[in-house]
Amino acid sequence: MKFIDEYRDAELGKKLVSRIGQLSAQPARLMEFCGGHTVAIMRNGIRQLLPATVEMLSGPGCPVCVTANADIDKAIALARLPDVTITTFGDMMKVPGSYSSLQQARGEGADIRVVYSTQDALQIARDNPQTSVVFIGIGFETTAPTIAAAVLQAEQESIENFYVLCLLKLCPPIMKALLDLGEIKLDGIVCPGHVSAIIGSQPYEFIPRDYGIACVVSGFEPLDILLSIAMLVEQIEEGKPRVEIAYRRGVRPEGNKRALELMSAVFEVDEADWRGIGVVPASGLKLGKEYARFDAEWAFPVTLEPVREAKGCICGDILRGVKTPTDCRLFRKVCLPEHPVGPCMVSSEGACAAYYQYGADYG
Ligand code: SF4
């Protein structure tokens, strides 16, 4: 197939649905790790097409959602410092921290600008040498190479006023942490497409080997997802879990060498604080010693109030796959996209936002 429409072909979709139905004899509980997949599944009504034997759970693969309140509080505290400009992706603006949000802080006078890339943030730093420009670096392995490239460029151009609040997170370690928690029993994982374009499929090999769970790397179109589910069901029925790539047009087993080199040149692996999961060793990236001068946490130490979680919000449980948005008593009543209580209702990749927007029967 050459064109994106071909990955949305209804006839091929029906054939894949029927194939899944024919293959699936035993119960199969699958997790789509990535928030982008959750949205695609909800938008295309894929859950409703699957046989009763196949259950889909949403996972923690939404970078905004997994950002801990403590880190959002840190970003807000940085925004309130004099002569500091915060640059961030738009999804972060409305995410409530313990006491406020970036949007509220902007309303109170903080200089916070929405950008579409790290390069935009770097440009703001070039254009405003009198202020310190901090980029809120959230994301997974997909975003990390672009941040690494911006840091290298800032170094090369001797840009003295560019900083990163480095909140980057790594997918395979959090998958391991989730499985080790033992709260959910999974038979298969729909592995993230964009992340795997960077890291490849090899880092998931431990999942079938150590946990007996099938893995298929999926793209984001409806046929990509249906094909991935069919491949997972086939593995489960055969009793031979392994790592396969359904998203062959985007992912190679070894990943993207150049992007991986960029990441390891600039970052080092460190612990990271995940909403709903807590601090997980070796599950995040921090700027390496050589680039420590770009680290906003190092350059601008801030004192924070004690962290508070929003009362009644179960985002943490949803991110661990233990609950779904419809289990939250605030869903659609108190918590709405216009008045989000938690990040899963704010982010374009959040499970609550996807259920709200597309979940006719909240499948
Ligand atoms: Fe949190 Fe709102 Fe989702 Fe409930 S519906 S879990 S309050 S984001």
Side-chain angles (χ1 to χ4, degrees):
M1 288 195 273
K2 278 193 265 177
F3 303 106
I4 208 73
D5 280 356
E6 298 172 56
Y7 293 92
R8 298 174 184 167
D9 184 287
E11 285 311 309
L12 284 176
K14 278 185 204 158
K15 282 186 189 154
L16 280 169
V17 168
S18 138
R19 171 125 183 93
I20 294 167
Q22 284 162 5
L23 286 168
S24 181
Q26 56 185 295
R29 193 180 234 201
L30 314 180
M31 173 179 272
E32 83 273 2
F33 177 87
C34 169
H37 284 148
T38 300
V39 172
I41 287 168
M42 297 301 293
R43 183 195 292 137
N44 294 290
I46 286 176
R47 282 188 188 170
Q48 292 87 329
L49 299 173
L50 298 175
T53 40
V54 179
E55 183 190 356
M56 300 293 303
L57 296 178
S58 301
C62 158
V64 171
C65 307
V66 292
T67 302
N69 267 10
D71 288 330
I72 293 164
D73 295 347
K74 219 175 278 168
I76 295 167
L78 289 173
R80 289 185 170 140
L81 294 176
D83 301 323
V84 167
T85 297
I86 295 291
T87 54
T88 177
F89 297 134
D91 270 6
M92 283 295 281
M93 289 299 290
K94 276 187 174 180
V95 178
S98 301
Y99 304 91
S100 183
S101 66
L102 286 169
Q103 183 162 277
Q104 255 175 282
R106 182 158 75 176
E108 290 156 12
D111 185 1
I112 304 174
R113 307 188 197 181
V114 171
V115 292
Y116 295 101
S117 73
T118 325
Q119 287 301 323
D120 293 347
L122 198 54
Q123 191 56 45
I124 291 172
R126 278 189 203 101
D127 295 342
N128 299 275
Q130 75 289 357
T131 63
S132 300
V133 176
V134 177
F135 178 69
I136 308 297
I138 63 154
F140 296 117
E141 292 93 332
T142 331
T143 321
T146 63
I147 298 179
V151 168
L152 289 175
Q153 206 170 333
E155 167 92 338
Q156 206 178 9
E157 293 180 35
S158 304
I159 298 176
E160 302 275 323
N161 62 328
F162 178 70
Y163 302 89
V164 178
L165 177 61
C166 197
L167 307 174
L168 291 166
K169 295 183 171 56
L170 300 172
C171 291
I174 205 62
M175 289 174 166
K176 182 172 180 343
L178 268 189
L179 296 173
D180 286 343
L181 277 177
E183 291 180 305
I184 42 165
K185 190 202 158 302
L186 295 177
D187 302 294
I189 298 179
V190 177
C191 296
H194 295 145
V195 163
S196 306
I198 304 296
I199 65 171
S201 60
Q202 286 160 356
Y204 307 120
E205 293 289 349
F206 74 94
I207 299 176
R209 187 189 62 229
D210 301 343
Y211 299 89
I213 294 172
C215 287
V216 174
V217 178
S218 179
F220 294 86
E221 296 302 326
L223 294 191
D224 289 320
I225 293 170
L226 285 170
L227 174 63
S228 303
I229 294 171
M231 290 165 73
L232 283 169
V233 169
E234 193 164 12
Q235 286 191 32
I236 293 161
E237 292 296 331
E238 284 173 352
K240 288 184 186 159
R242 56 196 177 273
V243 178
E244 291 183 301
I245 303 173
Y247 190 29
R248 291 214 162 262
R249 67 188 185 284
V251 174
R252 285 173 298 181
E254 69 281 12
N256 181 324
K257 194 165 164 270
R258 175 73 188 121
L260 291 169
E261 280 170 2
L262 265 179
M263 282 163 66
S264 60
V266 173
F267 300 117
E268 50 191 50
V269 174
D270 200 353
E271 64 181 28
D273 191 1
W274 295 70
R275 182 182 299 274
I277 302 169
V279 176
V280 178
S283 69
L285 294 175
K286 293 286 175 218
L287 288 155
K289 286 185 187 61
E290 211 182 319
Y291 300 98
R293 77 169 179 87
F294 295 100
D295 186 347
E297 281 190 78
W298 176 81
F300 308 102
V302 283
T303 311
L304 302 176
E305 298 291 309
V307 174
R308 282 196 320 204
E309 300 298 332
K311 213 167 162 230
C313 174
I314 59 164
C315 275
D317 294 338
I318 293 170
L319 293 165
R320 297 198 311 281
V322 177
K323 292 197 173 153
T324 67
T326 48
D327 294 324
C328 177
R329 60 188 173 77
L330 306 183
F331 178 68
R332 294 192 93 218
K333 298 185 187 95
V334 178
C335 185
L336 301 158
E338 316 82 86
H339 306 289
V341 176
C344 300
M345 185 58 94
V346 178
S347 170
S348 56
E349 293 189 357
C352 299
Y355 271 60
Y356 182 89
Q357 192 169 359
Y358 302 112
D361 60 2
Y362 302 110

